[in-house]
Amino acid sequence: MSRAHRLARLLTIVSHVINSPGQTPAELADAVGISERTLFRDLTALRKLEFEVGYQDRYQIQERLDLEGRGVSAYLHMVYDRHLDLVRAEIPARVAEQVEADVEARAPAALASLFAGAIQRRLQNGARHSRRKARR
């Protein structure tokens, strides 16, 4: 497996832990499509890369990294820069440049989709809340 493939898998693990914290090793491995043994090796690699994936009852990214975007110091550009630094350090420069260009080309549409999804979820939550209130 190439370094680029492995890095993509590592970032997939980070994404799953951020988006669905509280998974067991079996759940996380299944979500990523790898064995638990591979998951444990990848978690060790992530920790060496300073992604502090911890296990406290279930997997989560440690709060001090603020990758969840919940803290005062969590700025989107910092998370973006952290991922870029990792890509540049782990894969050949030519491939890293192509990855960066691809991300930059797709980021505006991805952000628009994230905003649209967040708005829809809030509207659905508001509609549910209104229906519950009306039933009372």
Side-chain angles (χ1 to χ4, degrees), residues 10-75:
L10 294 176
L11 290 173
T12 299
I13 292 169
V14 170
S15 175
H16 277 280
V17 172
I18 292 169
N19 286 324
S20 301
Q23 296 180 70
T24 65
E27 291 167 340
L28 183 54
D30 187 52
V32 177
I34 57 177
S35 70
E36 284 187 58
R37 184 175 177 183
T38 299
L39 174 69
F40 292 129
R41 282 195 307 265
D42 286 351
L43 290 170
T44 298
L46 283 167
R47 289 181 188 111
K48 287 180 182 175
L49 294 168
E50 299 180 8
F51 283 87
E52 294 191 25
V53 179
Y55 192 86
Q56 296 173 350
D57 184 34
R58 295 173 186 262
Y59 284 108
Q60 56 192 327
I61 296 286
Q62 298 303 311
E63 296 260 337
R64 72 184 188 85
L65 280 181
D66 248 346
L67 291 175
E68 300 91 352
R70 294 185 185 127
V72 175
S73 65
Y75 296 103

Side-chain angles (χ1 to χ4, degrees), residues 69-98:
R70 294 185 185 127
V72 175
S73 65
Y75 296 103
L76 187 57
H77 70 85
M78 292 172 63
V79 174
Y80 176 80
D81 288 344
R82 178 158 171 72
H83 283 81
L84 272 182
D85 290 344
L86 180 61
V87 166
R88 290 175 182 149
E90 293 296 315
I91 59 178
R94 184 180 57 77
V95 177
E97 288 170 11
Q98 292 169 342

Side-chain angles (χ1 to χ4, degrees), residues 105-114:
R106 294 171 185 256
L111 284 172
S113 177
L114 289 170

